[in-house]
Amino acid sequence: MIRDFLEFWSKKPRKHAWIALPIGYLLFLQLLTGIPKPDVIREADGPEFLERFAEELFGYPYWAQDLSHLPLFAVLAWLWSWYFGGPKTGSKWAVAAAWISFTYAVLNEMGQYFVPKRFPGAGDLIMNILGVSIGLLAHSKLVRTTNRETHSK
């Protein structure tokens, strides 16, 4: 069972419809990182559920918010690498996945400039980039390990 699970996440999906997974996750990330602070929503007479969501989102320490970027962006890079089939022979990671993930990591952070009472931060950007790097390298390692096991049989 675990072998099937690892095999699934190490091989390029056969159907193009699987692109919905990395795109959906990207949209989820945009929601999490693009939401204004609760007082902005309150002042704009925004929906109460959105204000409560923002309160939960910003209710934990700043250092933990920074640190949360690492796994969030690692998953993003993993999903894109998986969708594109992982790295080609001789590559450290899937180039298309790297372009999409690194570009989004930078644009996502810079986009916070346009969200009221939010700002782009160097710490967040570093965590985004580290997360992308970890996700790409981790998926690459799984692909190489799985391929080695397949070819040794």
Side-chain angles (χ1 to χ4, degrees), residues 80-81 84 93-102 136:
W80 280 113
S81 184
F84 287 116
W93 52 44
V95 175
W99 273 105
I100 292 170
S101 301
F102 282 121
L136 291 169

PDB file of all heavy atoms in Angstrom, residues 80-81 84 93-102 136:
ATOM      1  N   TRP A  80       3.624  20.641  -8.555  1.00  0.00           N
ATOM      2  CA  TRP A  80       3.987  20.971  -9.933  1.00  0.00           C
ATOM      3  C   TRP A  80       5.021  19.990 -10.468  1.00  0.00           C
ATOM      4  O   TRP A  80       4.937  19.567 -11.620  1.00  0.00           O
ATOM      5  CB  TRP A  80       4.494  22.409 -10.050  1.00  0.00           C
ATOM      6  CG  TRP A  80       3.376  23.394 -10.097  1.00  0.00           C
ATOM      7  CD1 TRP A  80       3.066  24.334  -9.158  1.00  0.00           C
ATOM      8  CD2 TRP A  80       2.383  23.536 -11.117  1.00  0.00           C
ATOM      9  NE1 TRP A  80       1.951  25.038  -9.538  1.00  0.00           N
ATOM     10  CE2 TRP A  80       1.518  24.573 -10.747  1.00  0.00           C
ATOM     11  CE3 TRP A  80       2.137  22.880 -12.330  1.00  0.00           C
ATOM     12  CZ2 TRP A  80       0.440  24.975 -11.520  1.00  0.00           C
ATOM     13  CZ3 TRP A  80       1.065  23.280 -13.109  1.00  0.00           C
ATOM     14  CH2 TRP A  80       0.229  24.314 -12.700  1.00  0.00           C
ATOM     15  N   SER A  81       5.977  19.607  -9.654  1.00  0.00           N
ATOM     16  CA  SER A  81       6.990  18.641 -10.093  1.00  0.00           C
ATOM     17  C   SER A  81       6.336  17.296 -10.407  1.00  0.00           C
ATOM     18  O   SER A  81       6.658  16.652 -11.404  1.00  0.00           O
ATOM     19  CB  SER A  81       8.058  18.476  -9.012  1.00  0.00           C
ATOM     20  OG  SER A  81       9.082  17.623  -9.454  1.00  0.00           O
ATOM     21  N   PHE A  84       4.401  17.506 -13.734  1.00  0.00           N
ATOM     22  CA  PHE A  84       5.274  17.502 -14.906  1.00  0.00           C
ATOM     23  C   PHE A  84       6.150  16.256 -15.008  1.00  0.00           C
ATOM     24  O   PHE A  84       6.921  16.114 -15.945  1.00  0.00           O
ATOM     25  CB  PHE A  84       6.150  18.755 -14.934  1.00  0.00           C
ATOM     26  CG  PHE A  84       5.382  19.998 -15.297  1.00  0.00           C
ATOM     27  CD1 PHE A  84       5.249  21.033 -14.399  1.00  0.00           C
ATOM     28  CD2 PHE A  84       4.780  20.122 -16.541  1.00  0.00           C
ATOM     29  CE1 PHE A  84       4.540  22.176 -14.725  1.00  0.00           C
ATOM     30  CE2 PHE A  84       4.065  21.256 -16.879  1.00  0.00           C
ATOM     31  CZ  PHE A  84       3.947  22.290 -15.966  1.00  0.00           C
ATOM     32  N   TRP A  93      15.880  18.983 -10.746  1.00  0.00           N
ATOM     33  CA  TRP A  93      14.432  19.092 -10.582  1.00  0.00           C
ATOM     34  C   TRP A  93      13.762  19.365 -11.917  1.00  0.00           C
ATOM     35  O   TRP A  93      14.418  19.665 -12.902  1.00  0.00           O
ATOM     36  CB  TRP A  93      14.045  20.137  -9.556  1.00  0.00           C
ATOM     37  CG  TRP A  93      14.655  21.502  -9.736  1.00  0.00           C
ATOM     38  CD1 TRP A  93      14.781  22.213 -10.896  1.00  0.00           C
ATOM     39  CD2 TRP A  93      15.237  22.311  -8.727  1.00  0.00           C
ATOM     40  NE1 TRP A  93      15.375  23.410 -10.652  1.00  0.00           N
ATOM     41  CE2 TRP A  93      15.674  23.510  -9.330  1.00  0.00           C
ATOM     42  CE3 TRP A  93      15.407  22.163  -7.353  1.00  0.00           C
ATOM     43  CZ2 TRP A  93      16.263  24.531  -8.622  1.00  0.00           C
ATOM     44  CZ3 TRP A  93      16.004  23.190  -6.653  1.00  0.00           C
ATOM     45  CH2 TRP A  93      16.425  24.349  -7.273  1.00  0.00           C
ATOM     46  N   ALA A  94      12.440  19.277 -11.917  1.00  0.00           N
ATOM     47  CA  ALA A  94      11.654  19.534 -13.123  1.00  0.00           C
ATOM     48  C   ALA A  94      11.706  21.037 -13.418  1.00  0.00           C
ATOM     49  O   ALA A  94      11.278  21.841 -12.604  1.00  0.00           O
ATOM     50  CB  ALA A  94      10.222  19.064 -12.924  1.00  0.00           C
ATOM     51  N   VAL A  95      12.234  21.395 -14.566  1.00  0.00           N
ATOM     52  CA  VAL A  95      12.467  22.799 -14.904  1.00  0.00           C
ATOM     53  C   VAL A  95      11.157  23.588 -14.952  1.00  0.00           C
ATOM     54  O   VAL A  95      11.059  24.682 -14.388  1.00  0.00           O
ATOM     55  CB  VAL A  95      13.247  22.933 -16.231  1.00  0.00           C
ATOM     56  CG1 VAL A  95      13.382  24.377 -16.653  1.00  0.00           C
ATOM     57  CG2 VAL A  95      14.625  22.282 -16.084  1.00  0.00           C
ATOM     58  N   ALA A  96      10.130  23.056 -15.611  1.00  0.00           N
ATOM     59  CA  ALA A  96       8.850  23.776 -15.694  1.00  0.00           C
ATOM     60  C   ALA A  96       8.259  23.983 -14.294  1.00  0.00           C
ATOM     61  O   ALA A  96       7.743  25.059 -13.982  1.00  0.00           O
ATOM     62  CB  ALA A  96       7.870  23.011 -16.581  1.00  0.00           C
ATOM     63  N   ALA A  97       8.346  22.967 -13.459  1.00  0.00           N
ATOM     64  CA  ALA A  97       7.842  23.081 -12.083  1.00  0.00           C
ATOM     65  C   ALA A  97       8.617  24.144 -11.324  1.00  0.00           C
ATOM     66  O   ALA A  97       8.036  24.917 -10.549  1.00  0.00           O
ATOM     67  CB  ALA A  97       7.945  21.732 -11.375  1.00  0.00           C
ATOM     68  N   ALA A  98       9.924  24.199 -11.547  1.00  0.00           N
ATOM     69  CA  ALA A  98      10.751  25.196 -10.869  1.00  0.00           C
ATOM     70  C   ALA A  98      10.371  26.610 -11.317  1.00  0.00           C
ATOM     71  O   ALA A  98      10.214  27.507 -10.487  1.00  0.00           O
ATOM     72  CB  ALA A  98      12.232  24.931 -11.141  1.00  0.00           C
ATOM     73  N   TRP A  99      10.206  26.807 -12.620  1.00  0.00           N
ATOM     74  CA  TRP A  99       9.828  28.130 -13.134  1.00  0.00           C
ATOM     75  C   TRP A  99       8.504  28.595 -12.532  1.00  0.00           C
ATOM     76  O   TRP A  99       8.384  29.722 -12.062  1.00  0.00           O
ATOM     77  CB  TRP A  99       9.721  28.118 -14.660  1.00  0.00           C
ATOM     78  CG  TRP A  99      11.019  28.397 -15.337  1.00  0.00           C
ATOM     79  CD1 TRP A  99      11.812  27.499 -15.970  1.00  0.00           C
ATOM     80  CD2 TRP A  99      11.684  29.659 -15.436  1.00  0.00           C
ATOM     81  NE1 TRP A  99      12.939  28.124 -16.457  1.00  0.00           N
ATOM     82  CE2 TRP A  99      12.882  29.453 -16.152  1.00  0.00           C
ATOM     83  CE3 TRP A  99      11.383  30.944 -14.991  1.00  0.00           C
ATOM     84  CZ2 TRP A  99      13.781  30.472 -16.419  1.00  0.00           C
ATOM     85  CZ3 TRP A  99      12.283  31.970 -15.272  1.00  0.00           C
ATOM     86  CH2 TRP A  99      13.457  31.728 -15.975  1.00  0.00           C
ATOM     87  N   ILE A 100       7.513  27.730 -12.577  1.00  0.00           N
ATOM     88  CA  ILE A 100       6.194  28.102 -12.048  1.00  0.00           C
ATOM     89  C   ILE A 100       6.278  28.390 -10.557  1.00  0.00           C
ATOM     90  O   ILE A 100       5.775  29.404 -10.066  1.00  0.00           O
ATOM     91  CB  ILE A 100       5.154  26.999 -12.335  1.00  0.00           C
ATOM     92  CG1 ILE A 100       4.871  26.922 -13.830  1.00  0.00           C
ATOM     93  CG2 ILE A 100       3.864  27.241 -11.551  1.00  0.00           C
ATOM     94  CD1 ILE A 100       4.051  25.711 -14.243  1.00  0.00           C
ATOM     95  N   SER A 101       6.911  27.503  -9.818  1.00  0.00           N
ATOM     96  CA  SER A 101       6.936  27.613  -8.353  1.00  0.00           C
ATOM     97  C   SER A 101       7.757  28.807  -7.871  1.00  0.00           C
ATOM     98  O   SER A 101       7.313  29.553  -6.994  1.00  0.00           O
ATOM     99  CB  SER A 101       7.478  26.320  -7.746  1.00  0.00           C
ATOM    100  OG  SER A 101       6.677  25.229  -8.123  1.00  0.00           O
ATOM    101  N   PHE A 102       8.956  28.988  -8.420  1.00  0.00           N
ATOM    102  CA  PHE A 102       9.779  30.130  -8.000  1.00  0.00           C
ATOM    103  C   PHE A 102       9.121  31.448  -8.407  1.00  0.00           C
ATOM    104  O   PHE A 102       9.121  32.405  -7.633  1.00  0.00           O
ATOM    105  CB  PHE A 102      11.192  30.046  -8.580  1.00  0.00           C
ATOM    106  CG  PHE A 102      12.081  29.071  -7.856  1.00  0.00           C
ATOM    107  CD1 PHE A 102      12.661  28.008  -8.542  1.00  0.00           C
ATOM    108  CD2 PHE A 102      12.363  29.209  -6.507  1.00  0.00           C
ATOM    109  CE1 PHE A 102      13.486  27.112  -7.887  1.00  0.00           C
ATOM    110  CE2 PHE A 102      13.185  28.322  -5.836  1.00  0.00           C
ATOM    111  CZ  PHE A 102      13.753  27.267  -6.529  1.00  0.00           C
ATOM    112  N   LEU A 136      10.898  20.798  -4.496  1.00  0.00           N
ATOM    113  CA  LEU A 136      11.465  20.297  -5.755  1.00  0.00           C
ATOM    114  C   LEU A 136      12.504  19.213  -5.500  1.00  0.00           C
ATOM    115  O   LEU A 136      12.504  18.169  -6.164  1.00  0.00           O
ATOM    116  CB  LEU A 136      12.093  21.443  -6.546  1.00  0.00           C
ATOM    117  CG  LEU A 136      11.131  22.474  -7.132  1.00  0.00           C
ATOM    118  CD1 LEU A 136      11.902  23.679  -7.653  1.00  0.00           C
ATOM    119  CD2 LEU A 136      10.268  21.866  -8.219  1.00  0.00           C
TER     120      LEU A 136
END
